[in-house]
């Protein structure tokens, strides 16, 4: 799939506010309604647009504790890796899970209500994940930036994945 400057403009508009009408987006990007609608559908069908969601302020709903957890595994056997990944991504508290290079194997972003709740999550769930050799927890004191808009100025349409 080839992505051009119109597609990027559409994606920028959707990242700012996915509830905009196709008509509004079309006006913003300089297209008529039908071609804009077709492009949005194509972006959805190709997986470039993976979801239309509402961003919820976790702190305002009582989930204000963010913990970054680094994980070292005791083995890099394919079965252990698969079991760990499956169990980690199934945890409701784990918002993001990354495979890492360097000194740690995984980085988890965990969101909970309180430090006490994190302690229970740690004792009951995290230490029992398959293959865990070591965990290190770092508590976010304050969020300074949580950007959801991609850095479109870095994207060259000639270098996009298709």
């Amino acid at each position: 799939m080839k992505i051009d400057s119109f597609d990027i403009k559409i994606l920028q508009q959707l990242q700012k506010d996915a509830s905009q009408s196709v008509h509004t987006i079309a006006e913003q990007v300089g297209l008529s309604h039908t071609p804009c609608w077709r492009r949005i559908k194509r972006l959805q069908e190709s997986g470039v647009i993976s979801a239309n969601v509402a961003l919820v302020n976790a702190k305002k709903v009582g989930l204000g504790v963010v913990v970054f957890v680094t994980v070292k595994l005791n083995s890099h056997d394919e079965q252990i890796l698969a079991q760990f990944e499956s169990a980690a991504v199934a945890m409701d508290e784990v918002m993001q899970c990354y495979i890492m290079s360097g000194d740690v194997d995984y980085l988890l972003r965990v969101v909970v209500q309180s430090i006490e709740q994190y302690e229970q999550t740690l004792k009951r769930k995290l230490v029992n994940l398959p293959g865990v050799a070591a965990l290190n927890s770092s508590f976010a004191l304050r969020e300074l930036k949580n950007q959801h808009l991609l850095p479109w100025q870095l994207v060259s349409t000639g270098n996009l994945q298709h």
Side-chain angles (χ1 to χ4, degrees), residues 110-121:
V110 175
V111 174
V112 291
Q113 290 181 333
S114 64
I115 292 173
E116 295 78 17
Q117 189 177 50
Y118 177 71
E119 180 183 11
Q120 294 305 312
T121 300

Side-chain angles (χ1 to χ4, degrees), residues 97-116:
C97 179
Y98 296 95
I99 299 172
M100 303 297 290
S101 66
D103 294 338
V104 298
D105 297 311
Y106 293 90
L107 174 66
L108 310 177
R109 184 173 70 90
V110 175
V111 174
V112 291
Q113 290 181 333
S114 64
I115 292 173
E116 295 78 17

